[in-house]
Amino acid sequence: MDIKLLIMNALQDLLKEKQVEAIEIEVEVPNDSSNGDFSTNIAMKLARVLRKAPFVIAEELVHELALDENVFTSIEVAKPGFINFYVNKEVYLGLIPKINANPSDYGSLTIGEGEHYNIEFVSANPTGSLHIGHARGAAAGDSLARILTKAGFNVTKEFYVNDGGNQIDNLAKSIHARYLQALGQECDIPEDGYHGEEIKRLAQKIVSEVGSRFLDEDGHHYFKNYGVNALLQTLEDDLKAFNVSFDIWYKESSLYQENKITETIQILKDKGFTYESEGALWLKTSAFGDEKDRVIIKSDGSYTYVLPDIAYHHVKLSRGYTKLINILGGDHHGYVPRLKAAIEMISGQQNLLDVDLLQMVKVLKDGQEVKMSKRSGKSITLSDLIEEVGSDPIRYFFAMRSLNTHMDLDLDLALKESNENPVFYAQYAHARIASLFRQATVKGYDLDLSIKTFSTLKGDKVALLLTVLNEYPHAIEEAALKRIPHKITHYIHRLSQALHSYYADEIILSDDALKVRERLALLHAVKAVLKDALTLVGVEAKEKM
RNA sequence: GUUUCGGUAGCUCAGUUGGAUAGAGCAACGGCCUUCUAAGCCGUCGGUCGGGGGUUCGAAUCCCUCCCGGAACGCCA
């Protein structure tokens, strides 16, 4: 039973009677639980319309509300005019069999029905390793996709592979240079080349495979294909180790193969959004909110970056998504208006694309900012991080912070095995329950996870656990609609806290068989929800620690 | 200079479609293990919400202005 909905419906009916339906009803969980389990400010909102004191309105409403008395212990009016609902926690006992009957289903919503979102994230160039910024994007995109899916959205995760532009030529040249070096020749890395260790390793591998073949033969295409394929494979492997996967890897080169670029140019020209000037082709993005028009074909005939990107978004649009979400680094914020402008030109719709920008990450170790990776000499890579502290803490820490905060990532904290470290705190809660079930089996307790009625689950600690279990669907709804995965990590912390508190307060495996059976049913539900929530942010729920 | 993100407790951060005495975690301080994982629990302390104006019954939240820090401002990608 959804109590919030219950209250909202009752208020709705009342407003209908009073013919003041235009007012939006808000029912929230108060910050301070002494203000009830649910609360509404509806009386204050009505004060203007009805021209009466909010406190008086609130009292009237409470009298007239048609609510099941068994569900609430009391409904009170507080100072300015809040109406506070105090729930009889025993009604939440019904959650236990509900969750245990189908654990992974609890919290699943239908609010995304009919929606098909495409989330593009990471989209790193295959010219090196993934760095810390990509890692944040990967964690954000993947967590968001999982949460939206849980909320009933159809979600496609997509990675755009820039394998077409200058940077790929530079990659080939860089590999070539390393190749020559590996064969003992003097050769500098080109000016815009890539200096990473991974390029050196690739070159050495090529030498071991084909020897000195490309000393006289032109190896450009070979180096290019070899480099892109190898580096893409590395990206995919790194992401897999980070518990991140994609449904679609879309290559820029396929835009050329399928003539999508010329097609897109034609569409833009036909619609009259282009003009020629100074030998270049311009797009009238300023007509759609951009600060100025942009060149899409340079005077030398080559394309600027934005053109294939527009064509790519055209391809995505043609697949019929109800929304496109791009997760980009905050350093691209200036790029967003022109892309949105182009999408509006093509689709005729304004808000098909949402861009979520993520801000920079500062990595701390031994209390000091770390800027460079030991191995590559460049910025810190995802594989550095995973090697150093593992995937789970990084996933959790990224999920904890809203995207637009400039966050600190404390590697020392990530490694701590104590309650200072929120990941361990949560995983430990899960492992503690798992341990209880192992003990229960060993000691031969008679488990029954399907029991539906409870007579021994009493007290504040139980009430809190049940209250938090009840919040799960609401947490998912808010996380999905506002696209804020940190709502889920906050939830995980709350539930872990309630569990640890209960655990410390009560010896679960006592001599009273009935009590044990009921407690274990409750804990089984808690464990299931903890696991489900951790999975939403890509973190493992450990059985043993 | 323009654009953009941020400035909330000692630290890291929630809260920002205006609402209750501004929240959490960690740190600090004080308690709790002959019992299922003390990797834990219980309690206390802690804030002129960057500054200053304004709108409002009510502002961390909206408007104006200033200060501080990050980032972006290409016929680069």
Side-chain angles (χ1 to χ4, degrees), chain A residues 114-119 154-158 247-248 313 315-325 349 352:
Chain A
E115 299 286 347
H116 190 169
Y117 280 18
N118 176 286
I119 309 181
N154 192 350
V155 179
T156 298
K157 295 179 285 182
E158 185 151 344
D247 303 307
I248 297 177
H313 282 81
V315 167
K316 283 200 280 189
L317 287 171
S318 66
R319 297 194 211 127
Y321 299 113
T322 54
K323 184 167 282 294
L324 303 181
I325 297 171
Q349 288 177 261
L352 273 177

Side-chain angles (χ1 to χ4, degrees), chain A residues 305-307 309-310 328 331-340:
Chain A
Y305 175 80
V306 70
L307 181 54
D309 208 21
I310 294 170
L328 294 178
D331 53 348
H332 290 84
H333 80 265
Y335 179 73
V336 176
R338 75 193 75 162
L339 188 58
K340 293 190 91 153

Side-chain angles (χ1 to χ4, degrees), chain A residues 7-173:
Chain A
I7 297 171
M8 290 185 84
N9 287 341
L11 286 169
Q12 187 78 61
D13 291 345
L14 212 51
L15 291 195
K16 203 176 282 178
E17 273 176 43
K18 294 178 177 293
Q19 299 182 327
V20 280
E21 288 170 74
I23 300 212
E24 192 199 351
I25 297 172
E26 289 177 73
V27 174
E28 55 172 24
V29 177
N31 295 325
D32 186 343
S33 61
S34 69
N35 287 324
D37 297 294
F38 295 96
S39 173
T40 180
N41 62 354
I42 191 74
M44 267 108 86
K45 289 192 163 189
L46 283 171
R48 285 176 205 183
V49 189
L50 300 178
R51 298 208 290 174
K52 262 201 278 192
F55 199 90
V56 177
I57 297 175
E59 288 191 314
E60 278 178 24
L61 291 177
V62 169
H63 275 288
E64 294 166 17
L65 266 179
L67 281 171
D68 185 345
E69 287 174 11
N70 294 323
V71 175
F72 301 95
T73 52
S74 72
I75 301 172
E76 290 172 8
V77 177
K79 262 192 305 178
F82 287 101
I83 303 175
N84 298 332
F85 300 83
Y86 296 79
V87 175
N88 178 358
K89 299 303 185 301
E90 293 198 0
V91 303
Y92 289 151
L93 286 169
L95 289 170
I96 298 172
K98 183 180 171 183
I99 295 168
N100 286 337
N102 195 348
S104 64
D105 196 48
Y106 182 60
S108 293
L109 307 174
T110 55
I111 57 174
E113 242 171 45
E115 299 286 347
H116 190 169
Y117 280 18
N118 176 286
I119 309 181
E120 185 208 325
F121 57 109
V122 187
S123 296
N125 296 340
T127 54
S129 305
L130 293 171
H131 59 64
I132 180 85
H134 296 126
R136 188 176 190 182
D142 184 70
S143 297
L144 180 61
R146 291 170 188 241
I147 292 164
L148 286 171
T149 302
K150 180 90 186 173
F153 291 78
N154 192 350
V155 179
T156 298
K157 295 179 285 182
E158 185 151 344
F159 189 120
Y160 178 50
V161 183
N162 286 98
D163 63 344
N166 289 334
Q167 78 274 22
I168 296 302
D169 282 325
N170 289 331
L171 172 68
K173 288 175 192 164

Side-chain angles (χ1 to χ4, degrees), chain A residues 250-304:
Chain A
Y250 192 92
K251 289 188 174 181
E252 182 185 351
S253 54
S254 55
L255 292 171
Y256 295 87
Q257 285 157 18
E258 292 160 27
N259 285 320
K260 291 297 177 190
I261 310 234
T262 46
E263 195 180 292
T264 301
I265 296 171
Q266 201 53 51
I267 290 170
L268 294 170
K269 276 185 178 170
D270 289 349
K271 293 194 174 188
F273 293 131
T274 63
Y275 60 92
E276 287 185 38
S277 174
E278 301 164 58
L281 189 69
W282 295 69
L283 192 63
K284 296 178 184 172
T285 53
S286 65
F288 295 87
D290 197 6
E291 59 178 321
K292 59 181 180 186
D293 293 341
R294 306 290 172 176
V295 170
I296 53 174
I297 303 180
K298 300 183 223 174
S299 48
D300 69 1
S302 62
Y303 304 146
T304 61

Side-chain angles (χ1 to χ4, degrees), chain A residues 174-231:
Chain A
S174 303
I175 295 174
H176 190 192
R178 291 296 193 190
Y179 172 80
L180 293 177
Q181 287 174 357
L183 289 171
Q185 301 207 358
E186 291 272 324
C187 185
D188 291 333
I189 307 292
E191 200 173 327
D192 295 318
Y194 299 97
H195 299 261
E197 284 298 313
E198 60 277 6
I199 307 292
K200 216 189 268 183
R201 281 197 296 274
L202 276 182
Q204 280 157 359
K205 218 171 151 210
I206 294 174
V207 170
S208 71
E209 285 173 18
V210 304
S212 60
R213 179 177 146 198
F214 295 114
L215 280 181
D216 6 68
E217 196 183 326
D218 177 14
H220 190 75
H221 281 285
Y222 184 88
F223 292 134
K224 193 173 184 172
N225 289 331
Y226 194 98
V228 168
N229 289 332
L231 289 168

Side-chain angles (χ1 to χ4, degrees), chain A residues 135 138-139 237-244 382 386 391 394-395 398 538:
Chain A
D237 293 345
D238 285 354
L239 287 166
K240 196 177 168 195
F242 201 41
N243 218 350
V244 174
L382 174 57
I386 292 176
S391 172
I394 311 285
R395 285 291 308 249
F398 279 138

